[in-house]
Amino acid sequence: SSSAIMYTVPENRVFTGYASNSSNSYGVYLRINSIDIPQFSSFSSSSSTSMPHFAPTLTVLAGTTIKAYGAGTSYVFGVERDA
């Protein structure tokens, strides 16, 4: 659902991976220190997508939350490692 928390990086861990949305109108939020930072990009292979960028690789620190934004299907995948 919109604004649902999808993942929070655990204490003493670092996450490297991807977070995106299949819709060409929505993305995900990275929530750091109570501030939502929107990130709009897509994994869509559809030729009709209007997203300007493919999803960048993210490296985020412990405590960062990744939240869904808007409609569409949101995705988070990657690996955790020790900080």
Side-chain angles (χ1 to χ4, degrees):
S1 74
S2 180
S3 299
I5 293 174
M6 301 186 316
Y7 175 73
T8 300
V9 182
E11 187 175 332
N12 299 317
R13 303 291 280 171
V14 174
F15 171 82
T16 301
Y18 303 91
S20 188
N21 190 296
S22 63
S23 171
N24 59 358
S25 299
Y26 301 101
V28 295
Y29 281 122
L30 302 179
R31 185 166 184 83
I32 303 169
N33 296 329
S34 301
I35 299 171
D36 285 336
I37 302 167
Q39 192 236 296
F40 296 92
S41 60
S42 179
F43 294 128
S44 177
S45 60
S46 168
S47 60
S48 65
T49 186
S50 63
M51 283 296 197
H53 308 151
F54 289 106
T57 302
L58 303 172
T59 298
V60 291
L61 305 178
T64 301
T65 297
I66 299 173
K67 297 177 9 178
Y69 171 71
T73 303
S74 296
Y75 302 91
V76 176
F77 61 93
V79 295
E80 285 180 11
R81 66 180 191 286
D82 291 336

